[in-house]
Amino acid sequence: MFKIDVTSTKELSSEQLETLAKMWQRCAARIIISTTLAKSGHPGGSLSSLHTLLLLYAMMKHDPSNPDWEERDKFVVSIGHISPGVYGVLSEYGYFPEEDFLTEFRRAGSAFGGHVEQGVPGIEWNTGNLGQGLSAADGFALSAKLAGRKDARTFCLMGDGEQQKGQVAEARRFAVKYGLKDLICIIDRNHLQIGGSTEEVMPVRVRDEYKAAGWNVVYVADGNDFQQLYKGLRRAFLHEDLDPERPVVVVSRTIMGKGISFMENKEKYHGSPLPEDQARQALSEIGLSPSLLDEWKKKREAHTITPVAHSYRKMPTPHIEPGEPIVYDADTITDCRSAYGNALKSLAEANNQPGQVPKILGFSCDLEGSVKMKGFHSVSPDAFFEVGIQEHHAAVCSAVTTRDGFVSFFSTFGVFAVCETYNQHRLSDQNQTNLKVVSTHNGLDVGEDGPTHQCIDYIGLMENLFGFSIFMPADPNQTDRIVRYVATTTGNCFVGMGRSKMPMVLDLDGKPFFGKDYEFIPGKADWLRRGKEGSATIISYGATMPYVMKAWERLQEMGIQVSVLNMASIKPVDEEAIIEAAKNGPLLTVEDHVVTTGIGSITARVLVQNGISQKLRCLGVKRYGESGKPADLYRMHGIDTEAIVEAIKNI
Amino acid sequence: MFKIDVTSTKELSSEQLETLAKMWQRCAARIIISTTLAKSGHPGGSLSSLHTLLLLYAMMKHDPSNPDWEERDKFVVSIGHISPGVYGVLSEYGYFPEEDFLTEFRRAGSAFGGHVEQGVPGIEWNTGNLGQGLSAADGFALSAKLAGRKDARTFCLMGDGEQQKGQVAEARRFAVKYGLKDLICIIDRNHLQIGGSTEEVMPVRVRDEYKAAGWNVVYVADGNDFQQLYKGLRRAFLHEDLDPERPVVVVSRTIMGKGISFMENKEKYHGSPLPEDQARQALSEIGLSPSLLDEWKKKREAHTITPVAHSYRKMPTPHIEPGEPIVYDADTITDCRSAYGNALKSLAEANNQPGQVPKILGFSCDLEGSVKMKGFHSVSPDAFFEVGIQEHHAAVCSAVTTRDGFVSFFSTFGVFAVCETYNQHRLSDQNQTNLKVVSTHNGLDVGEDGPTHQCIDYIGLMENLFGFSIFMPADPNQTDRIVRYVATTTGNCFVGMGRSKMPMVLDLDGKPFFGKDYEFIPGKADWLRRGKEGSATIISYGATMPYVMKAWERLQEMGIQVSVLNMASIKPVDEEAIIEAAKNGPLLTVEDHVVTTGIGSITARVLVQNGISQKLRCLGVKRYGESGKPADLYRMHGIDTEAIVEAIKNI
């Protein structure tokens, strides 16, 4: 494998330059061939960045025969659409035969997709939604720093178009605040994006912005010249004449479509391949036989895809101690978020040893106090990250650290943890992360902060993310157990709660229902109360549960028996329990959530899909909320005790 | 009403200063009293910004007796949580009696919520999710510029904490690109946010960032000194020694809790009110009687809220010509996005007259070509806005312009138009805007760009926004009619389509089903085919429709009769049609969307809620997609013609 020793090599030798030129030729051909044969893809940016890719893999620490080598540097390709360039270079360095790439690029079932994905050996992080890559690189750099890997570097290749995305500014600040000095970002500054010149689409003073954020800035006037680019990259590697405590950005002036005369500086080739005749011409121009195209065309046509030929990087499965459950007694009145805070603190005590690499990380967005992370912070100061009002960055960065084996908790209000950052979680989920999104303020129960702060759509949204579980504890005891469960189980989870203090759920003996012996099992609902045969069942969860329990009492007093089913596990949902309830009598769902996208809707689906005909009445939120006390809002929206009693009487 | 003539007043007279001091005293008292009596709210930032608020309303053009005065300046309070300060000052200037505010603040049913809302006279835009305010102000400034209102200014008051949000950087660039020189932004720089010092939470070099973005920067060293602040604001108003073509930011150094000695510089008071005893002490300290608190307490307790006492600003209902529908004949094969582009261009021709203020605006995010806005752009160059890869800003800014009577189309891929910007649409929806989100690339049908670009959750998400309709045309003809419908009807709409070219939907005579005489009616499904009694019905929409129609043909050939119901109107949904179908025979839903959150789920809900027992089988997407040709992906995910035929045979 071609390698350049950065410390000893001040400039590239003519031999090295010759080798690079040969490598460039082969990779450029792959870019042309792959996109032309796939009839889609992004050749322009791939050519623009090709010099950078070739040099980086020669300079960084990696092992193609062991892509998961723990000592490797990490590289995030934020501009995932330059996959033809990346795949070509990875095959050049021996990660896989070029044939895999050239015969499978952009074909259904292959790992060689249009945007880079971890299914391809050598890829660290799936990208495609521009502007998220620097946050991902921050995450890897943070992991390396936490693990004490002093010689580990993290790289991020970005486009200049994506500098427009606000999230980039957030990631920049985080890197400076947390001293991610071994983070090197390269911006492929070709001044073109799909819509045309960056100056016409949306001007960004790229270098000024990075300087204003406190970054080291290195400028390379010709980033398609190996020697110039090498010197710039080397300076970044060694922090030569740069602030040693700060990250570096290398702004590399390049040319879109570089190397193929009729592609250069044409935005058209950002997202369009060459037709076959022009592809042959391009191959000739770089000194290769035009018939290469036809050879690969035949091979591609003859090749059948075996779906998911390449597997994902292995997900780390850290061993986490659940710690000792905290049981709140029957008389305690507290909020679930305090129980979350206490559980998280206890998990830190059980798993994060002073002086050792922490196992559990916590990320807050200017709401450490409200989301009750202060306990965790005090026990594990080095494992707590205050990201500021930068939720997009926090969501991605926290998720990325889990790919390095940390278990990360990201906590803020539901509106920011879900509504604002949905698309960030979506990409993380496609990256098979192990993030714990714990959102402490949800529903009308948020109260006086009003509709902007009342997340009433957490199920509606998170239900769409295939890898995420959704858990909504019914009281502080169940919160404790759910938080310990998610900490010790691999996979993305959303845990949501209301803001208000509430009493414990008790059994008929007046003891905590989720007591000492209770164990949380996902996909298993809790029969808090059992009615008699033919009784209706109230299905609910989370912040409405105290209202439901009071309604149960009220109904008891009236001589009306009902069952109460607590759906703490919304996804996976306990279909059997719903079926059992429906076979017994009519159903009433109650939730502090948009009525059409919550448990009511899930219940309807379960009934129909199981061919069960049963009455179902759904109470929930039918308009945006108001600013006021939760109890008043529940009354106004018809989800309070009174409304529940009435609904049962009418069912 | 107290007014300062900015042109003639170089500095404030002692008389003016005295008046302001008196006003300050009354408003400070209102801040203390309102938050203490509500037992919640944000007094610290309200006091910090009070000088600014008082001066702004004296300097800007507005009329408390006519809050909707068309000639007024616009003012966006991006830090919506300083509502006690804003309400206090609005009442001081005569927008409403202070009693309305002091007796109702943060009480359920009142317009005087925790974060400012348009229900309160004088408020232009509901805020609360930090970081969106500057985008809103950009929108108002853009409207004023488009309307040719040369003397109209737009103001935005922001916090320094929210400078961390990435969206602010996007809005900054847009203001420079589009020359929004009459936009004046004031940053309340008190160096505290809820989590503590801004330097500890997440440092931002505020002035450097604005300079790097090309803004004029004015610094006020003591923003709690009326004279100093006035001079700074005046400089901004008059562009004194500033670049006349660029917007201005006034960075005003202030003190959180200013004026109450024991509140000053304490982050605690960002979000916590004083207890009653300290509130009395605070009133004494500013020279008022402590008994004021008790007087207002009594009044507050005696007061009953009449829900929604204050109505919203009137929504402008612009008159839009629908233009001449374009009918694609039976043989045409094209994509819905081209039909969208053609319809939008024709709408521009019918409504945007050269040399006059345009009625319809278009916003693109670096995808003008892909989303087919080039035609619109060429007809109405001044009404088209290329925002760059800045979707958060684009979503808010485009929505805000509709509050000034423009009809705005915001177009990009579904992943950016919905997943990335959901929370922006959510706040716009709470602001009752008239935005047309037309997303041209949705579903697995996006194809080779792979899972990051395949929006398969547009219904799942948009279903949660109460004010949004959801329309999914079945072919280019229906697209044309839906686009004209949404342009001419007030309210937020989402219109989604796949990427692929498709044939027209034809009737049994081989003529376009959505032909010359077709009119789109929301909430009305289309019976594309009618089976016989007992026949199953296939319910589908959008990009799967060609596969469904082929399945229908195939089934016909096999002698199996089915009905085909096109649900172009997903929200509102045609419950009657679903009921009719279910009464006739079993149902099969087919969609290129997450199977648990799309039309299948909606159908299940309709069945259960109407007490109808019927077989329902749902085909849809059950995992993230892959990169490949749509037809291959449809096959792999079991939503192609073959799978539909099989499902019908098994039902």
Side-chain angles (χ1 to χ4, degrees), chain A residues 386-437:
Chain A
E386 177 47 79
V387 189
I389 311 175
Q390 307 193 136
E391 293 89 3
H392 295 124
H393 172 71
V396 175
C397 184
S398 57
V400 170
T401 59
T402 69
R403 292 287 328 169
D404 280 329
F406 296 101
V407 174
S408 296
F409 283 79
F410 166 50
S411 282
T412 178
F413 293 7
V415 163
F416 312 121
V418 177
C419 305
E420 178 79 356
T421 46
Y422 174 80
N423 199 40
Q424 280 64 29
H425 296 318
R426 183 174 170 276
L427 186 55
S428 297
D429 200 37
Q430 292 182 4
N431 272 290
Q432 301 189 349
T433 55
N434 184 21
L435 182 66
K436 316 303 170 184
V437 179

Side-chain angles (χ1 to χ4, degrees), chain A residues 164 173 422 429 457 624, chain B residues 164 173 422 429 457 464 624:
Chain A
Q164 291 153 5
R173 290 187 203 108
Y422 174 80
D429 200 37
D457 36 15
Y624 295 114
Chain B
Q164 292 153 4
R173 289 186 204 109
Y422 174 80
D429 200 36
D457 35 16
N464 294 287
Y624 296 114

Side-chain angles (χ1 to χ4, degrees), chain B residues 455-513:
Chain B
C455 178
I456 49 178
D457 35 16
Y458 42 88
I459 297 175
L461 271 66
M462 299 308 278
E463 182 82 5
N464 294 287
L465 300 181
F466 298 107
F468 266 87
S469 307
I470 305 175
F471 303 137
M472 299 290 299
D475 77 357
N477 273 318
Q478 196 173 28
T479 303
D480 180 87
R481 247 49 58 76
I482 287 181
V483 171
R484 291 173 203 277
Y485 170 82
V486 302
T488 51
T489 310
T490 300
N492 292 318
C493 296
F494 169 79
V495 183
M497 47 201 79
R499 178 179 181 275
S500 299
K501 289 192 197 315
M502 49 161 62
M504 299 306 129
V505 174
L506 304 180
D507 60 20
L508 287 172
D509 300 332
K511 297 208 183 95
F513 190 94

Side-chain angles (χ1 to χ4, degrees), chain B residues 36-70:
Chain B
T36 293
L37 295 185
K39 296 193 178 64
S40 74
H42 300 76
S46 296
L47 287 166
S48 174
S49 310
L50 184 50
H51 295 76
T52 308
L53 291 167
L54 282 166
L55 274 181
L56 266 186
Y57 280 101
M59 298 166 78
M60 65 190 235
K61 202 160 53 163
H62 67 121
D63 179 1
S65 69
N66 180 15
D68 288 329
W69 181 37
E70 283 198 6

